[in-house]
Amino acid sequence: MSVLSIVVWIIAYPLIIFCIGVLLGGYERKFSARVERRIGPSWIQPFYDVIKLMSKKTNVSHGYMHDVAILMLLGGTMLTLYFVPVPGFSYFSQFGDFLVISYLLLIPSLGMALGVGETANPNGSIGISRALQMLAGYEVPFILTFIGVAMKEQTTSMLDIIRVQQAGGFWAWGLIAHPLLGVAALIALQGMLNEKPFEVIVAPHEIATGPMTEMGGKYLGIMFIQHLIAVPLELTLYINLFLGGASNWLEYLVKLFVLWTALISVNMVFGRFRVDSAVKFMWKISLPLAALGVIGIMLNIA
Amino acid sequence: MLTSMLLILPLAGFLTSLAAAWIVPASSKARASGAVQKIIAGIGFAALFVFAFLAKSEIGTGYLGIPLFGLWLNFGLTQLSWYFVAMVAGISLVTVLFSLQGLRDDGRYPFYYIWLFSKTFGMLGVLLSADMLTFFIMWEVMSWCTYFLLQQGHEKAKRAGAGYLVYAVTAGMILLAGLLYVYFNVGSFDFRTIQKAFSGFGAGRIIVAMLLVLVPMLIEAAAYPVHWWLPSAYANAETGISAYLAAISTRIGIYGMTMFLFAGFGLTALNLVTANKYVSANEVLMIIGAFTMVVPTFTALFQHDAKELMTWHSIGQGGYMIVGIASSTTLGIAGGLFHVFNHMTYVSLILFSIAAVEYRTGTTNLNKLGGLIKKQPVAYLGLLFGIIGLAGIPPMNGFVSKWLIYRALILSGHPFIALAAFIATLGTILSVYKLIHNMFLGQLPERYNDIKEVGWGMRLPIIFMMAVVWLTGAFPGTVLAVVADIQQSLGLERVAYSVHGVAAEMGQLNMLVINIVFIGGLFVSWLIYLAGGKRKHIGQYDNYAAGHFLDKSIPYNYNYNFYAGMEHIFERLLHKPPVKRAEQALATFVSGTSEYVCRIFTGNITTYSAYVVAAVVVILLVLGGGR
Amino acid sequence: MAKELTQKAAWDRVLAKLKKNSLWMLHYCTGCGAIELPPTMTARYDMERFGIMPMVTPRQADILLITGYLSVKTLKRVILVYEQMQAPKYVVGFGSCTINGGMYWDSYSTIKSLDQYLPVEMYLAGCMPRPEAIIKGFSWLIDRVGKGEANSWRDYYENYEFYRKNQEELFGGPIQSYQDIPADAQKFGILEARQ
Amino acid sequence: MSEKMNIVTVNDGRTLYPGASAPENREYNMFIGPNHPGIEGNFALKLTLEGDTIVQARTDAGYLHRGFEKLMEQRLYMQNIAIVPRICVPDPDPNEENYARAIEAIAHIEVPRRAQFIRVMMLELSRIASHLFAFGGFAGTLGLYTMPNWSISDRDRILELFEALTGARIYHIYIIPGGVRRDLPEGFAQRVKDTLFYIESKLPEYDNLLFENSIIRKRSRGIGVIPPEKAMEWGVTGPNLRAAGFAHDVRIDDPYEVYNELEFDIPIAHESDALARMLVRRKEVEESIRIIRQVLDKMPSGPVWNKQPNPLKWKVPAGDAYVRTESSKGEYAYYMVSNGDVRPYRVHVRGASVTHGVHVLEKLLIGTRIEDASQVMFSLDACPPEVDR
């Protein structure tokens, strides 16, 4: 890759992912509207929402940490984004492996947690408390599935894992080669994306949208932008680990939308867990699945 | 002889400040006495710091023998011990600088600096000792100094100190047994002779000897089943002392473990005799380490006191070091040793921030604090940097060492130990967020409206440690260079490092790129932020309360029982009768023994000193007789 | 209308066109008219196709929908909630009760005319307005937002004394408020924008 | 540890260690409503929590107070017909029914048989609509937003029937003293039958989505249990009482209109928790459909209104009456006193929601977790406008 193309990519990459995020968000709302027998909003409704929020005349915040946290939220997500390889752009992936990515993903969570903490609203604090407990819930099985994959391929680099899967064709896809890990990670992904039944963080009827309670105007706008970037980002992680990555953008988009449809279909027909049941579900269902998968891999290696 | 200065300086500092305390007693003129003590401590520890760094040139050559009752106490500097010596010198200087202002001149801790000197002396003695006898004697000195350090302050601290002593004496006895066992088998105390002799021994002897020396080290490092002494002891000490102890004192156990495993007896020898298909010696250690990581971290989740929460983490972080070093892979050992340094920086930083809050509010109870970010922003930032390091989130330094350990564990085929490490990290994130939330975020209680930030004397050490935590995160190569030298000196493969991370042949990690991209991301976010409209800061009562009006009479802050969901999950475990009963029995045992110990040591310092001297003399006579 | 099309004005026009597609209303059922909102929001009439969604907290919302009569106790909360909302914000008086008291013109506990206390952008008459009427009303509001004409919220900043006086008269004394509205108007430059 | 530290006061009078002697802040307040999605209307819960568990709950009503009982005293009998349905918004017809029956009882007015059948049909349609609304609300509190979309749009079909019959979707002002306002339009019976068939065909879908949804069941089972031995003492009525195992129903116990000629069952449950209460409502929908079908089959022809004098001058003879109706919320009663004037002397409304939404709710919430607070409230299906009146 030439320097120029890298620079172009650095600028274009977040924008492209944002556009994909808008489409995914619009698709989600359209899809859920159809399930609910509605027409639903426009396909680029998230884009209108973001514009509306960013153009609010008055914005209030509870202090400097509230301001900075929003930057940490978006900055951390963009940082993570660069390390996740997509077709055509994997320049930064060589500097950090999956372990780095999984830890970088914590920066936005921490940023949001700090900002919401400063708003001094118990709804927000409960939301954050739930978010962090859910983090402990879904990250454990998710990371174990990764450990399994990494141990099998003897690398922690995402690029290598994609390479192995693409070299082996369809039968080398993570989901096919180690289905237990794939399913465990899929359940964890549902929690990671905060979709029902694991949607305990926002829970409007319980804690009035939790972390978003005191967020308005451009603060909420930046949270929306972050969400629109984070959704394709987390889906891409799963695609790269278990669906064989993607060699071109068409394949990538198809996989994104198929995976996303699967997740939001589940979202549509379930209520939400209590937070402890959600964490328990992850630990009792997803984690043993992943552990079994890992033991299988260990036995194969030995 | 720079090495000798490392022993002489703290000893001289101890004697000088003791004399000064005698001349200007604390009871008469608290302020004047405090000032004298501060001057001596400041100069002493600054000099120690300088000498510790100058002594680097003497690694492997500096040697010192002191005759004592016909025996020789041998001291020398190795690459491994220099690493720890430098850390001791550095962190003790920062602690003292912090304490200059952080310790109020109200005469509550009259012997603070005196015991700090003696403790430093004990630790340096252990680190510098070049044979097993010296190691043991200095070990005892160090334990007793720790005890005296913990004895300061109020009743609870005394109790906790006594509890520590029970464990320390046990550890000392086991170590003594190990010493005698080795001596009667080999006929020498010298490490190199022992190593040579042991390579020819059978499995039984190696295992017994290893057990006898490793168990005391694990007790000192507060590894899982024998960690009970640490939380109450450290949490009840003065916060500056907690910082010092948690940062480095416990890690002497890690030093001893590394030394005995790789320089003393040799892990390879141990692994050879214990190797079978299912489990090897280092895996046993790794399992201990895994428990040490997970259990205390989740215990920390349910603590209600900032210092106690942090001391549980201090135990938990020790587990990473044990796991890393016990993995006996290049990356793992590098990660484990690097983690000692990282842990020292951020734990002291966190405890300094807690101390700054305690200095103003007089409490570290997490249910009494809140919203202090508006009042103590520097302490907040210190805590923030510290917890990012502690949780191992980039770009702080804790991430690098944890990354090394994870990678080592995954690639060496220990997925479940790696999972344990990851679970512990998640537990850490949960509990440190509770820490920062309950202290600094949420609603500011009315009573803290008059609080101001602490003075520059306390702010500067916090800012300095923040810089260290961040810069060693961005340029981990600076410390990894020393770690690589240690690995080389122990006859292991050097970790392949670059200035800003880990080199490509060991899996590339470039912290500088992460930092730059992160700052770039922040910058772009800032531009987006600026594109929005103006913003206004509002007060904490202008808040969403479902349409209700808030004021100071309405408690509107969620901090008690912060992870209620987790509490529901672990409900059975926390309140299960048998566990509770066992816990109670243990508590009665500990408090009973500590009371017994208290009854023996009720006198003043001279009595304590007499005990120390007597113990040392008895040991020496026994050994001298043996020869 | 010989207003010169400056760059800023052009940008505002584009922005308004985009903004009109997303209006969030506060999830606050102030009166009995709220019973017609669920049908409007859900599958039968599907308000979301116009980009209108219920939002939970005042910080997030654009539209404050006063669904019917307001008792004095509620009005206090409504004013608090209105002041917590971020401008531009639109008050929609829903049902006859907000216009003249409607059914409860002689009740001792309800207010009779909402625009005495808050700047109303739009009234929807009826008891209660049917979902079709609500949607019709909202499309009118969307058009106005798109043209940049929905500016009633500025009125609260400009004529704050008027509203404040009426509120205080109603509540019989100084009212509790977290906001310093005139200072906010200065800070956000709302008064200059008019000129 | 620092509790024992002496509080040192510096020269300017502030304490050096303000936190040392401070109490621990274990409890805090949370507010659900009035501006909160987790509340049924303009109503509020002031909760005191410790951790995530509610230790004290106070309801805060009065946001919807319009003074109905006072307003009714200053309006003509006929004018009041227009305001009574506004007492309970989701289920307005029992108000009209009660009001009409109270006057009929005082003035001894005969109601034509056809009108009685139509009234039963109206009441049962209103019950179905109200229950469908409750299903949506209940599912919403648990995060299942598909359900409100389905059930509330299905409820709209019933509202369309109302509109065709009475001209209004919500407040029908249809049941008037002496009968009903107008006869069924042509083909209306068939329309009702079609709608009922539609709703019946949707019920299995609701079962799949909501009532047999494993996560919903897991969450709502054992939540907000009204102890059966206390249910009577607390004054619980309606589906909430039947979910506690009591087969009490005004339609059976004290039959009005033509209920004694109709055949229907009283569904009961014994768990008395949130799920049981919703399941009872779910079964009641089926029973109501059964009732309406019988009504349509048995409905005689004839007049629908026993004509009354000029409403502006109509004086109801002196006397008093207590009438009660089984509404979807529970037992609903009016006590009316007339002194022979053109206006009622006193109308007292006894609603089920004051009991459920205030007294029972406050007791049930204690010990409940914050996640379940609004679930408990929606499962009781109280009606805030009726609490305030």
Side-chain angles (χ1 to χ4, degrees):
Chain A
M1 254 183 168
S2 70
V3 177
L4 185 70
S5 65
I6 288 173
V7 170
V8 168
W9 264 111
I10 286 175
I11 296 164
Y13 183 40
L15 288 174
I16 294 172
I17 293 294
F18 174 74
C19 293
I20 293 176
V22 168
L23 285 180
L24 286 176
Y27 173 64
E28 182 193 15
R29 286 173 69 171
K30 203 85 185 165
F31 182 89
S32 44
R34 302 311 304 195
V35 172
E36 292 167 355
R37 304 182 190 145
R38 290 189 286 125
I39 293 170
S42 121
W43 275 78
I44 53 168
Q45 185 63 33
F47 173 71
Y48 294 137
D49 291 347
V50 166
I51 292 288
K52 192 273 307 284
L53 286 167
M54 292 305 294
S55 65
K56 279 281 192 184
K57 284 276 191 319
T58 63
N59 300 281
V60 295
S61 90
H62 279 267
Y64 289 103
M65 194 61 225
H66 191 167
D67 306 342
V68 173
I70 284 296
L71 305 186
M72 258 174 95
L73 182 69
L74 184 55
T77 313
M78 280 168 66
L79 162 65
T80 321
L81 195 59
Y82 282 111
F83 288 87
V84 177
V86 292
F89 186 66
S90 54
Y91 175 70
F92 285 100
S93 309
Q94 54 178 307
F95 299 116
D97 55 7
F98 183 84
L99 289 171
V100 174
I101 294 168
S102 67
Y103 271 81
L104 290 179
L105 271 176
L106 299 176
I107 296 178
S109 313
L110 186 71
M112 183 175 77
L114 293 168
V116 172
E118 206 193 7
T119 61
N121 194 313
N123 290 306
S125 296
I126 293 176
I128 290 302
S129 153
R130 290 178 175 197
L132 292 175
Q133 290 172 69
M134 273 313 290
L135 184 80
Y138 63 73
E139 279 284 283
V140 172
F142 195 74
I143 205 75
L144 186 59
T145 58
F146 166 72
I147 289 172
V149 173
M151 211 171 60
K152 187 174 175 220
E153 316 298 354
Q154 277 298 302
T155 175
T156 55
S157 161
M158 212 155 203
L159 287 172
D160 293 344
I161 292 172
I162 297 173
R163 216 168 285 141
V164 169
Q165 294 183 62
Q166 290 189 342
F170 177 73
W171 296 104
W173 283 14
L175 191 60
I176 311 294
H178 11 256
L180 286 175
L181 295 184
V183 171
L186 198 60
I187 297 172
L189 187 67
Q190 185 88 0
M192 190 184 277
L193 287 162
N194 190 21
E195 296 286 343
K196 279 172 283 232
F198 304 107
E199 184 247 22
V200 293
I201 300 168
V202 176
H205 283 76
E206 297 165 11
I207 48 173
T209 63
M212 279 145 58
T213 303
E214 273 298 296
M215 300 286 175
K218 64 178 176 181
Y219 296 88
L220 192 60
I222 293 179
M223 277 179 95
F224 264 59
I225 296 175
Q226 187 267 348
H227 179 73
L228 295 177
I229 296 179
V231 168
L233 169 70
E234 283 157 6
L235 293 175
T236 310
L237 278 186
Y238 187 84
I239 290 173
N240 286 346
L241 277 181
F242 292 104
L243 296 182
S247 47
N248 57 55
W249 280 88
L250 185 69
E251 189 189 343
Y252 174 64
L253 282 176
V254 167
K255 281 179 179 172
L256 266 183
F257 274 85
V258 169
L259 182 59
W260 185 228
T261 311
L263 295 179
I264 56 183
S265 313
V266 175
N267 178 39
M268 290 315 298
V269 293
F270 281 113
R272 68 175 79 83
F273 273 125
R274 281 189 211 104
V275 59
D276 54 335
S277 333
V279 175
K280 260 191 202 161
F281 187 87
M282 289 289 183
W283 287 355
K284 279 190 178 166
I285 308 286
S286 190
L287 185 60
L289 278 180
L292 277 180
V294 170
I295 289 170
I297 287 173
M298 280 171 89
L299 292 177
N300 264 343
I301 289 176
Chain B
M1 276 301 273
L2 294 166
T3 314
S4 61
M5 285 304 286
L6 293 180
L7 286 174
I8 293 167
L9 259 174
L11 197 60
F14 170 66
L15 295 173
T16 324
S17 44
L18 199 61
W22 183 63
I23 295 165
V24 195
S27 51
S28 63
K29 292 173 208 149
R31 194 161 278 260
S33 164
V36 172
Q37 298 279 340
K38 280 174 185 172
I39 292 166
I40 296 171
I43 295 171
F45 280 103
L48 183 68
F49 182 71
V50 173
F51 278 109
F53 273 84
L54 290 179
K56 195 178 184 202
S57 59
E58 288 190 1
I59 292 170
T61 60
Y63 181 77
L64 181 70
I66 301 169
L68 188 69
F69 302 106
L71 292 171
W72 281 89
L73 298 184
N74 296 313
F75 297 100
L77 199 59
T78 64
Q79 195 76 45
L80 178 65
S81 57
W82 181 80
Y83 179 53
F84 279 84
V85 165
M87 284 195 285
V88 169
I91 200 65
S92 56
L93 178 64
V94 180
T95 308
V96 165
L97 289 179
F98 183 81
S99 301
L100 293 182
Q101 203 182 31
L103 192 75
R104 284 194 197 276
D105 291 328
D106 50 10
R108 277 188 302 139
Y109 298 103
F111 303 113
Y112 182 88
Y113 296 106
I114 302 173
W115 291 118
L116 214 54
F117 269 121
S118 71
K119 167 80 186 166
T120 312
F121 170 70
M123 284 201 295
L124 290 178
V126 171
L127 294 173
L128 291 174
S129 44
D131 67 34
M132 267 206 83
L133 180 65
T134 320
F135 188 88
F136 169 71
I137 291 171
M138 296 317 292
W139 182 270
E140 281 298 303
V141 173
M142 183 187 73
S143 305
W144 284 93
C145 294
T146 313
Y147 168 64
F148 292 126
L149 200 57
L150 292 174
Q151 275 287 298
Q152 307 213 22
H154 46 81
E155 204 51 44
K156 234 174 171 176
K158 289 204 172 75
R159 230 345 128 84
Y164 164 73
L165 199 61
V166 176
Y167 281 94
V169 167
T170 318
M173 290 302 124
I174 299 171
L175 189 61
L176 179 63
L179 172 83
L180 295 174
Y181 183 79
V182 170
Y183 183 70
F184 289 129
N185 271 304
V186 182
S188 165
F189 291 121
D190 186 58
F191 284 135
R192 245 166 288 171
T193 326
I194 294 171
Q195 192 174 11
K196 234 172 260 164
F198 261 78
S199 54
F201 285 161
R205 282 197 216 177
I206 292 181
I207 290 172
V208 171
M210 273 315 248
L211 271 183
L212 288 176
V213 295
L214 278 185
V215 168
M217 295 306 128
L218 290 177
I219 292 178
E220 177 69 13
Y224 168 58
V226 283
H227 62 283
W228 287 99
W229 61 272
L230 191 140
S232 59
Y234 285 8
N236 287 306
E238 199 274 335
T239 313
I241 296 177
S242 310
Y244 183 56
L245 291 175
I248 197 68
S249 169
T250 327
R251 302 306 154 222
I252 300 298
I254 301 292
Y255 165 77
M257 200 184 104
T258 319
M259 195 191 64
F260 284 124
L261 280 180
F262 296 107
F265 302 101
L267 184 67
T268 33
L270 189 64
N271 267 342
L272 272 180
V273 297
T274 57
N276 61 39
K277 205 176 163 193
Y278 301 105
V279 70
S280 61
N282 66 337
E283 277 174 354
V284 174
L285 269 177
M286 280 161 81
I287 289 166
I288 292 177
F291 274 99
T292 314
M293 285 187 285
V294 175
V295 178
T297 308
F298 276 85
T299 316
L301 208 56
F302 304 111
Q303 300 305 314
H304 293 305
D305 185 275
K307 272 157 76 179
E308 212 158 324
L309 192 149
M310 273 320 297
T311 49
W312 281 104
H313 275 305
S314 188
I315 301 172
Q317 297 296 306
Y320 284 92
M321 302 165 200
I322 296 173
V323 164
I325 290 165
S327 75
S328 68
T329 57
T330 311
L331 285 176
I333 295 169
L337 289 174
F338 188 25
H339 202 64
V340 178
F341 173 83
N342 295 341
H343 170 265
M344 175 192 80
T345 53
Y346 54 67
V347 159
S348 55
L349 175 56
I350 291 172
L351 282 163
F352 287 162
S353 301
I354 293 174
V357 169
E358 193 188 10
Y359 184 83
R360 286 299 187 210
T361 62
T363 183
T364 53
N365 188 325
L366 289 175
N367 299 328
K368 292 182 179 181
L369 296 165
L372 288 171
I373 181 174
K374 300 268 186 334
K375 303 290 171 187
Q376 296 194 300
V378 175
Y380 168 77
L381 278 180
L383 188 62
L384 179 58
F385 275 55
I387 65 167
I388 294 179
L390 177 64
I393 297 174
M396 302 306 168
N397 58 11
F399 171 69
V400 184
S401 47
K402 284 192 179 177
W403 184 87
L404 287 165
I405 294 169
Y406 290 137
R407 200 173 144 80
L409 291 175
I410 293 173
L411 296 187
S412 67
H414 293 105
F416 293 103
I417 307 274
L419 182 69
F422 203 87
I423 290 175
T425 297
L426 291 169
T428 312
I429 292 172
L430 260 66
S431 55
V432 292
Y433 181 69
K434 172 183 169 172
L435 183 72
I436 200 166
H437 176 272
N438 286 13
M439 285 171 76
F440 287 101
L441 305 173
Q443 206 179 28
L444 181 75
E446 199 66 7
R447 56 179 175 273
Y448 299 133
N449 267 350
D450 291 338
I451 281 186
K452 282 185 296 194
E453 181 61 280
V454 289
W456 282 104
M458 295 166 82
R459 265 187 244 182
L460 282 178
I462 291 178
I463 293 169
F464 173 72
M465 290 313 289
M466 276 160 65
V468 171
V469 168
W470 191 9
L471 290 179
T472 51
F475 304 102
T478 46
V479 185
L480 280 175
V482 184
V483 173
D485 288 346
I486 293 172
Q487 286 182 312
Q488 195 173 24
S489 77
L490 294 176
L492 305 162
E493 194 193 347
R494 284 171 70 97
V495 60
Y497 66 94
S498 60
V499 180
H500 37 253
V502 179
E505 57 261 41
M506 293 204 172
Q508 200 170 26
L509 174 71
N510 193 327
M511 292 302 285
L512 198 62
V513 169
I514 291 177
N515 267 285
I516 290 171
V517 178
F518 185 38
I519 291 168
L522 285 181
F523 181 71
V524 173
S525 319
W526 186 61
L527 291 182
I528 296 174
Y529 176 83
L530 285 187
K534 280 187 187 168
R535 70 105 172 78
K536 178 184 76 157
H537 281 167
I538 51 175
Q540 61 178 349
Y541 297 124
D542 181 6
N543 215 325
Y544 170 78
H548 288 269
F549 292 86
L550 292 176
D551 58 42
K552 64 184 177 186
S553 66
I554 297 172
Y556 201 56
N557 191 18
Y558 177 59
N559 58 8
Y560 175 71
N561 203 350
F562 196 74
Y563 293 112
M566 285 284 170
E567 202 128 310
H568 292 302
I569 294 176
F570 293 117
E571 208 157 32
R572 287 226 196 103
L573 211 62
L574 288 171
H575 307 296
K576 214 179 189 177
V579 175
K580 215 172 188 180
R581 230 178 296 147
E583 206 175 65
Q584 272 168 354
L586 196 69
T588 355
F589 170 72
V590 169
S591 67
T593 39
S594 13
E595 257 166 41
Y596 175 68
V597 175
C598 272
R599 225 171 288 150
I600 303 174
F601 304 105
T602 44
N604 50 21
I605 297 177
T606 43
T607 334
Y608 292 142
S609 323
Y611 278 116
V612 179
V613 173
V616 171
V617 167
V618 167
I619 292 158
L620 288 177
L621 286 180
V622 168
L623 290 179
R627 176 173 281 187
Chain C
M1 294 295 276
K3 207 169 158 193
E4 203 170 322
L5 191 71
T6 60
Q7 206 170 354
K8 189 175 179 305
W11 172 239
D12 280 349
R13 228 182 258 186
V14 173
L15 213 55
K17 285 272 180 300
L18 295 174
K19 271 155 65 177
K20 73 170 187 182
N21 292 307
S22 165
L23 291 173
W24 292 347
M25 62 183 196
L26 187 65
H27 205 303
Y28 185 5
C29 325
T30 47
C32 53
I35 194 79
E36 281 291 31
L37 284 183
T40 321
M41 287 187 289
T42 54
R44 179 77 195 276
Y45 295 98
D46 188 22
M47 209 150 71
E48 201 188 351
R49 65 200 150 113
F50 303 104
I52 300 174
M53 274 211 306
M55 285 310 254
V56 173
T57 73
R59 308 272 185 224
Q60 304 160 347
D62 309 298
I63 300 175
L64 176 55
L65 196 57
I66 308 294
T67 52
Y69 59 90
L70 280 176
S71 66
V72 177
K73 186 175 177 177
T74 306
L75 180 67
K76 227 176 209 174
R77 270 73 182 179
V78 165
I79 291 169
L80 168 79
V81 159
Y82 179 76
E83 290 183 356
Q84 280 184 340
M85 283 167 69
Q86 329 271 272
K89 46 193 172 185
Y90 316 106
V91 178
V92 176
F94 180 104
S96 312
C97 317
T98 52
I99 303 173
N100 56 11
M103 222 53 228
Y104 312 109
W105 60 276
D106 55 349
S107 167
Y108 55 83
S109 88
T110 61
I111 60 143
K112 306 297 173 285
S113 186
L114 178 61
D115 48 23
Q116 299 293 307
Y117 311 100
L118 287 175
V120 178
E121 182 72 44
M122 172 179 80
Y123 276 123
L124 286 169
C127 182
M128 51 215 33
R130 305 167 48 84
E132 290 92 335
I134 302 173
I135 284 173
K136 175 85 178 150
F138 275 131
S139 8
W140 183 81
L141 179 65
I142 287 169
D143 281 350
R144 262 176 83 84
V145 172
K147 286 182 202 146
E149 290 167 1
N151 284 323
S152 68
W153 57 276
R154 287 184 198 278
D155 201 44
Y156 197 66
Y157 289 96
E158 284 162 7
N159 299 323
Y160 182 58
E161 300 82 23
F162 168 77
Y163 292 110
R164 179 75 185 233
K165 188 170 75 51
N166 287 341
Q167 290 166 9
E168 285 185 350
E169 262 171 27
L170 181 71
F171 299 136
I175 56 165
Q176 194 176 355
S177 170
Y178 300 118
Q179 314 280 347
D180 185 357
I181 298 292
D184 283 4
Q186 285 289 331
K187 161 116 190 165
F188 294 115
I190 287 163
L191 297 183
E192 300 105 67
R194 233 316 140 79
Q195 289 145 15
Chain D
M1 66 198 58
S2 309
E3 283 83 348
K4 286 182 186 165
M5 195 183 282
N6 291 327
I7 296 174
V8 185
T9 310
V10 290
N11 290 338
D12 57 359
R14 65 192 166 82
T15 49
L16 205 50
Y17 299 122
S21 61
E24 281 198 0
N25 306 324
R26 292 193 167 201
E27 293 184 351
Y28 64 99
N29 287 7
M30 280 278 272
F31 303 94
I32 294 191
N35 163 24
H36 195 289
I39 196 87
E40 284 186 289
N42 201 347
F43 187 69
L45 289 175
K46 293 179 172 175
L47 308 174
T48 307
L49 284 93
E50 194 179 298
D52 68 347
T53 310
I54 298 165
V55 293
Q56 199 194 351
R58 304 291 301 164
T59 50
D60 180 15
Y63 295 101
L64 291 166
H65 181 68
R66 290 144 287 177
F68 271 115
E69 292 177 7
K70 197 75 201 161
L71 289 178
M72 280 196 241
E73 289 166 22
Q74 61 205 30
R75 296 185 187 197
L76 301 176
Y77 279 104
M78 267 301 165
Q79 286 178 314
N80 280 342
I81 298 174
I83 65 168
V84 283
R86 286 164 170 84
I87 292 177
C88 183
V89 191
D91 189 9
D93 290 285
N95 285 287
E96 301 180 6
E97 163 78 9
N98 265 345
Y99 183 76
R101 279 220 336 265
I103 293 175
E104 286 154 9
I106 296 172
H108 303 292
I109 300 169
E110 270 298 296
V111 181
R113 235 179 110 67
R114 184 175 172 82
Q116 288 190 2
F117 275 96
I118 294 176
R119 281 183 181 184
V120 169
M121 184 191 75
M122 284 296 280
L123 288 170
E124 294 303 321
L125 281 175
S126 178
R127 186 187 320 279
I128 296 175
S130 172
H131 282 345
L132 290 181
F133 204 66
F135 298 158
F138 179 73
T141 63
L142 296 169
L144 181 61
Y145 300 120
T146 309
M147 186 69 195
N149 273 293
W150 289 7
S151 70
I152 292 176
S153 64
D154 290 344
R155 166 182 174 267
D156 235 64
R157 306 224 169 191
I158 298 176
L159 298 192
E160 268 181 8
L161 289 182
F162 285 145
E163 200 179 3
L165 180 60
T166 71
R169 282 162 58 86
I170 308 291
Y171 301 143
H172 315 132
I173 317 176
Y174 180 67
I175 300 172
I176 55 174
V180 294
R181 198 146 48 80
R182 48 183 283 207
D183 202 351
L184 304 185
E186 206 165 312
F188 188 76
Q190 191 53 42
R191 249 184 108 176
V192 174
K193 277 182 184 164
D194 291 349
T195 309
L196 291 181
F197 179 77
Y198 173 81
I199 287 172
E200 206 173 36
S201 71
K202 287 291 166 191
L203 287 176
E205 280 185 21
Y206 297 169
D207 287 346
N208 275 336
L209 187 62
L210 179 68
F211 300 106
E212 282 160 19
N213 188 323
S214 55
I215 287 170
I216 302 288
R217 287 182 89 96
K218 187 176 161 61
R219 265 204 71 173
S220 53
R221 192 174 287 149
I223 297 297
V225 177
I226 300 174
E229 64 276 13
K230 294 270 181 189
M232 283 298 199
E233 191 185 313
W234 289 354
V236 180
T237 53
N240 299 339
L241 183 67
R242 294 193 280 276
F246 296 89
H248 281 289
D249 190 315
V250 183
R251 290 175 291 177
I252 296 279
D253 301 344
D254 182 12
Y256 49 94
E257 309 298 358
V258 289
Y259 275 113
N260 48 5
E261 299 170 27
L262 304 169
E263 214 175 275
F264 58 97
D265 295 329
I266 303 295
I268 60 168
H270 295 280
E271 292 84 3
S272 193
D273 54 10
L275 181 66
R277 291 195 279 273
M278 292 323 283
L279 285 174
V280 165
R281 292 199 172 85
R282 153 76 182 76
K283 285 178 197 146
E284 274 186 15
V285 172
E286 277 175 15
E287 292 304 319
S288 294
I289 291 174
R290 208 171 132 197
I291 292 172
I292 299 170
R293 286 199 174 133
Q294 292 177 47
V295 164
L296 292 175
D297 291 344
K298 291 185 178 173
M299 192 179 288
S301 53
V304 292
W305 188 39
N306 188 352
K307 194 165 166 34
Q308 299 304 318
N310 179 356
L312 298 178
K313 295 173 188 163
W314 185 31
K315 290 184 179 171
V316 172
D320 65 340
Y322 184 80
V323 289
R324 51 187 188 146
T325 304
E326 181 73 23
S327 87
S328 64
K329 318 283 173 194
E331 184 176 328
Y332 211 86
Y334 271 33
Y335 177 62
M336 187 187 282
V337 183
S338 164
N339 58 358
D341 201 357
V342 290
R343 299 178 176 83
Y345 177 74
R346 174 83 172 93
V347 181
H348 172 71
V349 181
R350 185 268 180 224
S353 299
V354 182
T355 320
H356 297 154
V358 178
H359 305 298
V360 175
L361 183 61
E362 279 181 6
K363 292 187 181 83
L364 291 191
L365 282 179
I366 291 173
T368 309
R369 283 157 61 178
I370 181 77
E371 349 354 14
D372 297 325
S374 74
Q375 185 198 143
V376 170
M377 184 169 38
F378 275 79
S379 78
L380 289 169
D381 196 22
C383 173
E386 191 238 284
V387 174
D388 291 333
R389 293 200 282 279

